[in-house]
């Protein structure tokens, strides 16, 4: 529903105006607050209007082509009768969306449950922007891009061919943390390439396993985007996982243009 309405309301012909490509993810579980787990919200973007009504936990929309610029973004509790007129939950001002960027905006819990940037109800929520990497992978490889956006401590991320076998090929990334400040944002996103196949993913604190292992299957020339969301201490902690394929090197500009033409385009009013 959100995608269809966004397309109808804001689809416009391509123009010479500089733009960026955006994805939007709802990463706040209503169970954290004793509400409907789907926690439907409306997303209002200044200059664009009520862009995503009825947006629910776990939803991801995109790609959306948006004119580059500075925006105010307001996330409110969904109101079916009057979309984007409900109680504001997150309100961000002067959000810079630069030209030619490819980014994901995700609403999520703060690292320690304290009010995050834009938190209007002191719920311990906020929103963050991450760069997406849709560049071609190395030959035959797959890409994993993980994000820490949960109410949870810093953890070590272990990716292994066989988590139970200490001699199995694997990688450990220490100090993976929620982006509580802009300066910490680099610590909240991991970008690495792996051989295709099954890989175990686990989280550790001081060498002890605290979550997982869970097995993900990687395919060649595919990116797996993982968002850790929820409340680690109340039992709602989980992964949201999305796949993007087609990361082979382009042989011609025509293929890239064909893919680009499927984007939903937004234009400022």
């Amino acid at each position: 529903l959100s995608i269809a309405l966004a397309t109808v309301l804001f689809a416009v012909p391509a123009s010479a105006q500089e733009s960026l490509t955006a994805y939007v993810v709802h990463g706040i579980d209503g169970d954290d607050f004793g509400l409907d787990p789907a926690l439907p919200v409306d997303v209002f973007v200044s200059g664009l209007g009520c862009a995503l009504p009825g947006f629910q936990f776990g939803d991801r929309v995109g790609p959306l082509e948006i004119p580059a610029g500075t925006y105010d973004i307001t996330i409110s509790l969904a109101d079916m009768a009057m979309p984007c007129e409900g109680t504001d939950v997150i309100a961000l001002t002067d959000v810079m969306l630069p030209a030619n960027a490819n980014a994901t905006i995700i609403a999520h819990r703060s690292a320690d449950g304290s009010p995050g940037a834009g938190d209007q109800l002191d719920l311990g929520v906020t929103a963050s922007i991450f760069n997406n990497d849709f560049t071609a992978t190395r030959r035959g490889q797959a890409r994993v891009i993980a994000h820490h956006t949960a109410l949870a401590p810093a953890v070590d991320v272990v990716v292994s061919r066989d988590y139970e076998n200490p001699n199995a090929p694997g990688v450990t990334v220490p100090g993976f943390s929620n982006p509580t400040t802009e300066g910490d944002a680099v610590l909240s996103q991991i970008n690495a390439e792996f051989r295709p196949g099954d890989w175990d993913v686990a989280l550790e604190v001081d060498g002890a396993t605290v979550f997982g292992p869970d097995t993900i299957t990687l395919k060649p020339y595919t990116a797996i985007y993982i968002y850790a969301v929820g409340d680690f201490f109340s039992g709602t902690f989980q992964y949201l996982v999305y796949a993007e394929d087609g990361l082979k090197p382009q042989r011609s500009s025509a293929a890239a243009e064909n893919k680009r033409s499927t984007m939903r385009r937004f234009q400022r009013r």
Side-chain angles (χ1 to χ4, degrees):
L1 177 61
S2 296
I3 298 173
L5 286 174
T7 303
V8 171
L9 291 173
F10 303 112
V12 296
S15 69
Q17 184 176 9
E18 288 188 310
S19 62
L20 69 143
T21 302
Y23 294 76
V24 186
V25 175
H26 185 332
I28 302 174
D29 188 338
D31 275 336
D32 285 358
F33 310 105
L35 301 174
D36 178 357
L39 192 61
V41 298
D42 300 330
V43 181
F44 179 89
V45 182
S46 61
L48 302 179
C50 193
L52 295 173
F55 197 43
Q56 299 188 18
F57 173 60
D59 283 353
R60 176 183 186 248
V61 298
L64 306 172
E65 189 167 327
I66 300 174
T70 301
Y71 293 91
D72 296 338
I73 300 173
T74 304
I75 302 172
S76 57
L77 296 178
D79 187 328
M80 294 183 63
M82 300 181 66
C84 291
E85 296 295 333
T87 302
D88 292 349
V89 179
I90 299 173
L92 302 176
T93 59
D94 297 329
V95 178
M96 174 60 71
L97 299 179
N100 304 315
N102 190 313
T104 290
I105 305 169
I106 178 171
H108 62 91
R109 299 301 308 276
S110 62
D112 59 4
S114 61
D119 190 341
Q120 300 298 291
L121 301 176
D122 294 340
L123 295 175
V125 297
T126 189
S128 296
I129 301 177
F130 295 97
N131 291 326
N132 298 322
D133 185 356
F134 286 171
T135 60
T137 65
R138 296 194 300 273
R139 183 176 180 181
Q141 297 287 87
R143 178 176 295 133
V144 174
I145 305 178
H147 311 78
H148 189 329
T149 54
L151 196 170
V155 295
D156 299 335
V157 180
V158 181
V159 182
S160 172
R161 277 295 194 188
D162 181 358
Y163 185 71
E164 303 301 328
N165 178 1
N167 297 317
V171 175
T172 299
V173 180
F176 191 43
S177 62
N178 192 318
T180 51
T181 69
E182 184 177 354
D184 293 336
V186 67
L187 301 176
S188 64
Q189 179 171 306
I190 296 172
N191 185 338
E193 293 188 5
F194 297 87
R195 293 178 181 274
D198 292 340
W199 291 84
D200 293 337
V201 180
L203 305 180
E204 297 180 350
V205 174
D206 295 330
T209 305
V210 296
F211 194 81
D214 292 309
T215 300
I216 59 174
T217 300
L218 304 181
K219 298 179 180 180
Y221 305 113
T222 298
I224 299 294
Y225 285 79
I226 302 174
Y227 297 87
V229 300
D231 185 339
F232 182 80
F233 305 99
S234 70
T236 62
F237 183 90
Q238 60 191 283
Y239 298 140
L240 301 179
V241 181
Y242 311 96
E244 291 285 343
D245 58 13
L247 302 186
K248 287 185 177 181
Q250 294 289 347
R251 296 179 180 273
S252 69
S253 60
E257 182 59 32
N258 286 339
K259 182 173 182 180
R260 183 178 176 83
S261 67
T262 65
M263 293 182 183
R264 298 170 182 84
R265 292 184 169 87
F266 289 68
Q267 185 174 32
R268 282 192 160 182
R269 295 173 178 174

